[in-house]
Amino acid sequence: MQLLLITGPAGVGKSTLCWELSVELAAAQIAHAVVETDELDRVFPRPTREELDRLWPGTVDISSINLAAIWSTYRALGHTRLIMSGVMQHLAFDRRWILAAIPDAEITSCGLA
Protein backbone atom coordinates (compact mmCIF):
# COMPACT_ATOMS: atom_id res chain seq x y z
CA MET A 1 0.00 0.00 0.00
CA GLN A 2 1.15 3.52 -0.73
CA LEU A 3 1.39 5.98 2.17
CA LEU A 4 2.24 9.65 1.69
CA LEU A 5 3.36 11.14 5.01
CA ILE A 6 3.17 14.94 5.19
CA THR A 7 5.26 16.24 8.11
CA GLY A 8 6.36 19.59 9.47
CA PRO A 9 5.95 22.01 12.36
CA ALA A 10 2.56 23.10 13.69
CA GLY A 11 0.83 25.65 11.47
CA VAL A 12 2.95 25.04 8.37
CA GLY A 13 0.00 23.84 6.24
CA LYS A 14 0.09 20.05 6.52
CA SER A 15 -3.68 19.67 6.89
CA THR A 16 -4.38 22.14 4.11
CA LEU A 17 -2.05 20.28 1.76
CA CYS A 18 -3.73 16.96 2.65
CA TRP A 19 -7.17 18.42 1.95
CA GLU A 20 -6.02 19.82 -1.40
CA LEU A 21 -4.36 16.54 -2.39
CA SER A 22 -7.57 14.75 -1.49
CA VAL A 23 -9.62 17.12 -3.66
CA GLU A 24 -7.28 16.60 -6.61
CA LEU A 25 -7.25 12.80 -6.22
CA ALA A 26 -11.04 12.70 -5.93
CA ALA A 27 -11.36 14.85 -9.07
CA ALA A 28 -9.15 12.32 -10.86
CA GLN A 29 -11.30 9.46 -9.46
CA ILE A 30 -8.32 8.01 -7.55
CA ALA A 31 -9.39 6.12 -4.44
CA HIS A 32 -7.61 7.21 -1.27
CA ALA A 33 -8.04 7.90 2.44
CA VAL A 34 -6.75 10.72 4.64
CA VAL A 35 -5.79 10.46 8.32
CA GLU A 36 -4.70 13.33 10.56
CA THR A 37 -2.39 11.73 13.12
CA ASP A 38 -3.35 14.30 15.77
CA GLU A 39 -6.73 12.57 15.99
CA LEU A 40 -5.25 9.13 16.63
CA ASP A 41 -4.34 9.90 20.23
CA ARG A 42 -6.79 12.63 21.23
CA VAL A 43 -8.17 10.95 24.35
CA PHE A 44 -8.40 11.76 28.05
CA PRO A 45 -7.32 10.22 30.28
CA ARG A 46 -4.33 8.81 28.41
CA PRO A 47 -4.35 5.01 28.51
CA THR A 48 -1.76 3.38 30.70
CA ARG A 49 0.95 1.13 29.30
CA GLU A 50 -0.87 -1.83 30.88
CA GLU A 51 -4.16 -0.92 29.19
CA LEU A 52 -2.43 -0.63 25.82
CA ASP A 53 -0.59 -3.89 26.32
CA ARG A 54 -3.91 -5.60 27.04
CA LEU A 55 -5.29 -4.32 23.70
CA TRP A 56 -2.19 -4.96 21.62
CA PRO A 57 0.62 -6.78 23.44
CA GLY A 58 3.96 -5.02 23.12
CA THR A 59 2.66 -1.62 22.02
CA VAL A 60 3.09 1.54 24.04
CA ASP A 61 1.34 3.93 21.67
CA ILE A 62 -2.40 4.32 21.15
CA SER A 63 -1.81 5.96 17.76
CA SER A 64 -0.57 2.68 16.31
CA ILE A 65 -3.58 0.75 17.62
CA ASN A 66 -6.03 3.31 16.24
CA LEU A 67 -4.26 3.58 12.87
CA ALA A 68 -4.36 -0.21 12.51
CA ALA A 69 -8.10 -0.20 13.28
CA ILE A 70 -8.88 2.62 10.86
CA TRP A 71 -6.71 1.21 8.08
CA SER A 72 -8.26 -2.26 8.42
CA THR A 73 -11.63 -0.71 7.54
CA TYR A 74 -10.22 1.25 4.60
CA ARG A 75 -8.33 -1.83 3.37
CA ALA A 76 -11.52 -3.92 3.58
CA LEU A 77 -13.14 -1.29 1.34
CA GLY A 78 -10.36 -1.82 -1.20
CA HIS A 79 -8.17 1.21 -0.55
CA THR A 80 -4.46 1.05 -1.30
CA ARG A 81 -3.52 4.73 -0.82
CA LEU A 82 -3.32 6.73 2.38
CA ILE A 83 -2.33 10.33 2.99
CA MET A 84 -1.30 11.09 6.58
CA SER A 85 -0.17 14.30 8.23
CA GLY A 86 1.49 15.05 11.52
CA VAL A 87 4.24 17.00 13.24
CA MET A 88 6.49 13.90 13.41
CA GLN A 89 9.61 15.41 14.98
CA HIS A 90 11.30 12.00 15.20
CA LEU A 91 10.64 10.43 11.81
CA ALA A 92 12.48 7.16 12.53
CA PHE A 93 10.31 6.58 15.63
CA ASP A 94 7.13 7.58 13.80
CA ARG A 95 7.89 5.26 10.87
CA ARG A 96 8.13 2.37 13.38
CA TRP A 97 4.66 2.88 14.90
CA ILE A 98 3.16 3.45 11.46
CA LEU A 99 4.71 0.24 10.13
CA ALA A 100 3.55 -1.62 13.24
CA ALA A 101 0.00 -0.59 12.28
CA ILE A 102 0.39 -1.05 8.50
CA PRO A 103 3.28 -3.47 7.89
CA ASP A 104 3.04 -3.37 4.09
CA ALA A 105 3.13 0.44 3.88
CA GLU A 106 5.53 1.94 1.37
CA ILE A 107 6.08 5.31 3.05
CA THR A 108 7.00 8.42 1.11
CA SER A 109 7.72 11.35 3.41
CA CYS A 110 7.30 15.00 2.51
CA GLY A 111 8.51 17.56 5.05
CA LEU A 112 7.08 21.08 4.92
CA ALA A 113 9.02 24.02 6.29
Side-chain angles (χ1 to χ4, degrees), residues 67-113:
L67 179 59
I70 291 168
W71 183 248
S72 70
T73 301
Y74 292 151
R75 182 187 305 276
L77 293 170
H79 290 280
T80 60
R81 292 179 188 87
L82 176 61
I83 302 169
M84 281 180 43
S85 70
V87 173
M88 313 260 174
Q89 294 178 342
H90 306 285
L91 196 52
F93 169 81
D94 291 308
R95 289 177 62 88
R96 283 195 299 273
W97 70 258
I98 292 167
L99 289 169
I102 310 173
D104 65 334
E106 295 176 16
I107 301 173
T108 300
S109 299
C110 176
L112 304 183

Side-chain angles (χ1 to χ4, degrees), residues 6 13-20 36 38 85 112:
I6 308 294
K14 298 177 299 296
S15 296
T16 300
L17 178 58
C18 286
W19 298 332
E20 291 300 322
E36 300 274 344
D38 288 347
S85 70
L112 304 183

Side-chain angles (χ1 to χ4, degrees), residues 5 7 10 19 23-24 28 30 39-40 46 53 55 63 75 83 91-92 99 101 107:
L5 184 59
T7 67
W19 298 332
V23 167
E24 293 296 321
I30 297 172
E39 302 308 320
L40 295 174
R46 307 270 308 165
D53 194 56
L55 294 174
S63 295
R75 182 187 305 276
I83 302 169
L91 196 52
L99 289 169
I107 301 173

Side-chain angles (χ1 to χ4, degrees), residues 27-38:
Q29 298 295 301
I30 297 172
H32 66 283
V34 178
V35 170
E36 300 274 344
T37 60
D38 288 347

